[in-house]
Amino acid sequence: MEDFSAHLPRLRRYARALTGDRFLADDLVQDTLERALAKFALWRNSGRLEAWLLTVMHNVFANQIRARAARPSMSEFDELAQEPAVRPAQNDRLDVADLATALDRLPPEQREVLLLVTLEELSYEETARILDIPLGTVMSRLSRARDRLRRLLDGDMPGAALKVVK
Amino acid sequence: MQRPSENELHAYVDEQLDAARRNEVERWLAQSPDEMARIATWRRQKAALRAAFDPVLDETPPQRLLRAARPARRIPLRFAAAIGWLAIGGALGYALHGAPPIAPRTLAHSAAIAHAVYMPEVRHPVEVSAEQETHLVQWLSKRLGTSLKVPDFSAQGFDLVGGRLLPGERGPVAQFMYQDAQGRRLTLYVRNDAPENRETAFRYAHEGRIGVFYWLDGHLGYALSGELPRPLLLGIANAAYQQLSP
């Protein structure tokens, strides 16, 4: 009945940045499309389809994070370690791998806000609606995300000089 | 000039300030090299994100996603199930009464199913849109073999989207669709196959969340369907009745 294929490129771009992994990203997109089809009657033509699909993706992503949090894994130990700086960026150009690593070190809720605002270029209001959070929370997460990303990329994160031995 | 708030600095970078305030912030930044440096960092982050992830836009999506985005056109399972139950109900009715089911109740069932099938349609909710209302009315009148009228629900906040022709149990059926500012949709289902001339009061039925008010008026059967609170739907059914039976 419905055709979401026109939205695939942007959903894939957002998912790639959110998960940092090609296969995890496409899995997230696929889960999103399946859920969107099942729930399509609820959308009822209110608002932009794109924004609604991003809302569905946020819910799927948040469920994945919760499921992962409920299952203790090695990654929890990583959280306890001092966060190393990615690597001081040489001149203005940021390496793609450095950026992906830095994004991965942002808490998921900060990463979502940063990506919706900068990559998807959504308004703060639309971002708040998609994530179902107050506007003030969007602003504080955006501010923290930018600050943290800067420190990760510029290498002046506290303790950055310490090499973490894994 | 007053120092812009932290939020305004973000809104400046994200181009979410109005033009007047943007100019003020720009002038203030020209005097504040430290803040200008922060702004430049944020802009570099944004440019880096675009440079890193925009290439995904040009990739050909994998087949599994193309399939998931564009599933084969089919009647969703739940409607197929509803149609199945309807067939069983019809067969039971036939067995119990020994006559074809002509109860207006089937009018409500058919209308609710037609509503459920077309209500979520985005691109083709109707065959003929409201801009061609005269043509729509002439066409459907001709196919139903009676002079149809399209009620106006603008006083209730619903505008005509258009209409379509559907197969009914005993011949063609007309469906008119309406939508309000919130995107809620109503359909009015009209058939001209009542075997005898009679009039009934409004009756109410529901299929899942879809409420239906239906009534017979002469040879015509009407059913108004929508996922709306019952009193609101009744008000619109009353408006329809008054306009259709002057």
Side-chain angles (χ1 to χ4, degrees), chain B residues 182-203:
Chain B
Q182 297 168 49
R184 295 184 299 183
R185 286 177 168 178
L186 279 178
T187 55
L188 179 67
Y189 185 92
V190 188
R191 72 178 193 192
N192 178 28
D193 58 2
E196 58 194 285
N197 209 349
R198 63 196 185 115
E199 200 162 322
T200 65
F202 282 152
R203 295 181 192 176

Side-chain angles (χ1 to χ4, degrees), chain A residues 47-98:
Chain A
R48 294 195 311 125
L49 182 56
E50 174 102 15
W52 181 69
L53 288 171
L54 288 170
T55 308
V56 175
M57 184 176 280
H58 160 68
N59 292 331
V60 174
F61 180 68
N63 284 339
Q64 288 179 356
I65 300 271
R66 264 195 295 277
R68 219 170 297 153
R71 199 175 56 225
S73 73
M74 287 306 288
S75 67
E76 279 195 9
F77 294 97
D78 291 347
E79 305 283 329
L80 299 174
Q82 279 280 22
E83 279 192 32
V86 174
R87 176 157 59 83
Q90 302 298 315
N91 58 52
D92 272 3
R93 219 179 55 81
L94 292 172
D95 189 84
V96 171
D98 290 350

Side-chain angles (χ1 to χ4, degrees), chain B residues 7 15 37 47 56 71 73 123 127 175 198-199 222 227 229:
Chain B
N7 286 355
E15 287 165 25
V56 179
R73 196 166 269 270
R123 265 184 234 167
E127 275 177 290
Q175 185 194 48
R198 63 196 185 115
E199 200 162 322
Y222 297 97
E227 287 182 45

